[in-house]
């Protein structure tokens, strides 16, 4: 059976995605996003993407591939 910790990792990933969406929603293009607020939004997004990668590494490989063939 899969570890219950997987739920924590997945919820952390979903929270990071929500924050990225919030931080980037008001910009019309990538340059405006990059330069806004002295790159505060951009740097926060990069850190959140890094957190997503780290949390993804912790999820059981069996869970990641369990539904791959469906």
């Amino acid at each position: 059976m899969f570890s219950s910790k997987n739920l924590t990792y997945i919820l952390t990933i979903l929270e990071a995605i929500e924050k990225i969406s919030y931080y980037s929603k008001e910009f019309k293009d990538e340059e405006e996003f990059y330069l806004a607020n002295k790159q505060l939004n951009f740097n926060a997004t990069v850190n959140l993407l890094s957190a997503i990668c780290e949390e993804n590494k912790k999820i059981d490989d069996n869970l990641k591939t369990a539904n791959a063939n469906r």
Side-chain angles (χ1 to χ4, degrees):
M1 195 68 197
F2 302 116
S3 168
S4 61
K5 291 182 180 181
N6 288 315
L7 181 58
T8 303
Y9 307 143
I10 292 168
L11 290 174
T12 302
I13 290 170
L14 291 173
E15 181 181 13
I17 291 168
E18 181 70 26
K19 286 180 181 179
I20 290 170
S21 176
Y22 179 77
Y23 294 158
S24 61
K25 69 181 176 183
E26 65 185 61
F27 303 103
K28 62 183 178 195
D29 61 32
E30 65 279 357
E31 186 174 355
E32 183 181 340
F33 174 66
Y34 178 74
L35 297 174
N37 302 319
K38 298 183 180 179
Q39 298 181 336
L40 182 68
N41 295 58
F42 176 78
N43 289 332
T45 299
V46 169
N47 286 329
L48 288 166
L49 290 170
S50 178
I52 289 171
C53 292
E54 291 301 317
E55 294 300 299
N56 185 55
K57 289 181 196 176
K58 298 175 187 176
I59 297 172
D60 290 334
D61 288 335
N62 291 334
L63 179 61
K64 292 180 198 176
T65 59
N67 294 312
N69 296 324
R70 290 186 181 188

